[in-house]
Amino acid sequence: MRQLGELEAEIMYRLWAWGRPATARDVLTDINKLRPVAYSTVKTVADILYRKGMLERHKEGRAWVYTPTCTRQQYTASLMQDALGGNPDPAGTLTSFLEQMTPEEADALRSALRAVKRRSDT
């Protein structure tokens, strides 16, 4: 899965944060609180995200309503997997990544590893 472009990310981050389906107009209204963007631009990018498989959509009246096909965590994990899978030295990549972690991130990683180990032990 490739990294999202700037407006693609803005749209996806809102939909993930809201946790509910939304129209392009809903997204536009929120983005326009920070910067002006045309409705047609948001609609086009939402349609691109749909064609890429990042969004599902269904009609409500005349409007398309969009829902993410994955969570933000799943998307991020996919990017991480792509980075590791395409690297000739995944251990070196992981080491560099770990060296950049904050103590809180390292704690979260340890907790995640324990949770995965518990699931695999059962």
Side-chain angles (χ1 to χ4, degrees):
M1 188 174 291
R2 72 170 191 78
Q3 189 166 348
L4 297 170
E6 182 182 343
L7 187 53
E8 289 175 328
E10 286 188 64
I11 291 169
M12 293 302 298
Y13 293 162
R14 280 168 173 78
L15 292 172
W16 284 322
W18 294 341
R20 62 169 173 79
T23 65
R25 177 85 48 209
D26 296 331
V27 173
L28 172 74
T29 299
D30 200 54
I31 291 174
N32 278 337
K33 292 176 185 175
L34 302 173
R35 67 182 179 101
V37 179
Y39 171 77
S40 59
T41 302
V42 172
K43 178 75 173 96
T44 297
V45 174
D47 288 340
I48 290 168
L49 288 166
Y50 166 74
R51 287 194 304 275
K52 289 180 177 180
M54 294 288 300
L55 295 176
E56 295 176 340
R57 70 181 185 187
H58 69 275
K59 279 270 192 180
E60 283 187 13
R62 293 177 41 211
W64 287 110
V65 178
Y66 296 93
T67 306
T69 59
C70 65
T71 66
R72 186 172 182 173
Q73 294 78 5
Q74 290 168 326
Y75 168 72
T76 303
S78 176
L79 291 177
M80 293 167 68
Q81 186 61 46
D82 286 350
L84 288 175
N87 193 302
D89 181 16
T93 301
L94 284 168
T95 300
S96 295
F97 179 69
L98 294 171
E99 290 170 348
Q100 297 175 40
M101 284 185 149
T102 66
E104 295 79 17
E105 291 167 336
D107 288 343
L109 177 59
R110 281 189 283 279
S111 176
L113 289 169
R114 283 191 299 273
V116 168
K117 181 160 179 22
R118 280 192 300 270
R119 275 186 253 147
S120 68
D121 289 345
T122 59

